[in-house]
Amino acid sequence: MAFSHASRGRLTDRDLDRFPGDSLFHRLARAVCHAGCLPRKELYESWEVARRVRRLFRGGRVVDLGAGHGLLAQAMLILDDSSPSAIAVDPTLPPSSVRVHDALADAWPRLSGRIQFLAAPIEAVEISADDVVVSSHACGALTDHILERAATAKARVAVLPCCHNLAIAGAGELRGWVDGALAIDIVRAARLKDHGYRIWTQAIPADITPKNRLLLGAPLTIAI
Ligand SMILES: C[S@@+](CC[C@H](N)C(=O)[O-])C[C@H]1O[C@@H](n2cnc3c(N)ncnc32)[C@H](O)[C@@H]1O
């Protein structure tokens, strides 16, 4: 049977044979297998988002909003050690996020003490202009709040939106040309530009998730 990257099945040590190599991704996957609790899809999504963000944004604290297990925040630090720390923010952090972190810190001891887990909504965290705000699949309007908060702080930002609420204002006029979810993301991109941002529109592989549009933005005042 094909090994679907979109599966919500949990990776465990039974999957270790699938990741035998020395690449950073295989090492990360093996650590995730040892944790034994992370849906396969989350590994592939976090990795694909993190490596695209890191091609553009280095340094600064990583702020992972709607973080779930916080794998995205940690993958950002594993890929590129230029950020001093990361914070993973979610009002309902899964208890298994501790297992994921412990498994990653076993493989990369330099992660220890550099990841803060905050069980709170996004409003609880101050964002500064030096931060890199990331968010994978923050549902519906949460993505808009994250973009708004990042833009207010003039921070670099990357979001992979999901659960588009077709009733939100501003996207309706575009629906004669493009589907509703795409219309919403186009409006989000345009809004970020209006905030004085340079934007990048990318996509992660659709075999991981159909909600695969990645929007990245940085204030025009920051040289990339
Ligand atoms: C679809 S999950 C995505 C989790 C993770 N980022 C991932 O890609 O697997 C959306 C997450 O947003 C969190 N969430 C909901 N409301 C939130 C809020 N106001 N502030 C921060 N996180 C929130 C939920 O608890 C949930 O873990």
Side-chain angles (χ1 to χ4, degrees), residues 114-219:
R114 289 169 62 198
I115 319 285
Q116 182 190 351
F117 288 87
L118 182 65
I122 62 167
E123 293 75 22
V125 64
E126 286 290 320
I127 297 174
S128 78
D130 192 43
D131 290 337
V132 177
V133 176
V134 293
S135 184
S136 174
H137 286 173
C139 306
L142 186 57
T143 287
D144 296 299
H145 294 150
I146 289 167
L147 288 169
E148 197 61 42
R149 292 223 52 214
T152 303
K154 301 258 170 283
R156 294 163 290 173
V157 63
V159 294
L160 185 79
C162 78
C163 311
H164 296 79
N165 177 355
L166 302 184
I168 76 157
E173 297 94 328
L174 296 175
R175 292 195 56 191
W177 291 346
V178 294
D179 75 68
L182 179 55
I184 289 171
D185 288 339
I186 290 172
V187 169
R188 285 172 170 151
R191 215 177 274 153
L192 204 48
K193 275 193 83 149
D194 288 346
H195 275 290
Y197 272 63
R198 175 178 174 193
I199 59 161
W200 294 262
T201 54
Q202 301 187 5
I204 69 168
D207 67 339
I208 302 171
T209 173
K211 309 274 172 49
N212 65 337
R213 280 189 288 274
L214 179 65
L215 171 62
L216 304 105

Side-chain angles (χ1 to χ4, degrees), residues 42 45 64-69 89-92 120-123 136-139 142 162:
E42 279 189 42
E45 280 171 357
D64 184 357
L65 299 177
H69 286 92
V89 183
D90 196 310
T92 47
I122 62 167
E123 293 75 22
S136 174
H137 286 173
C139 306
L142 186 57
C162 78

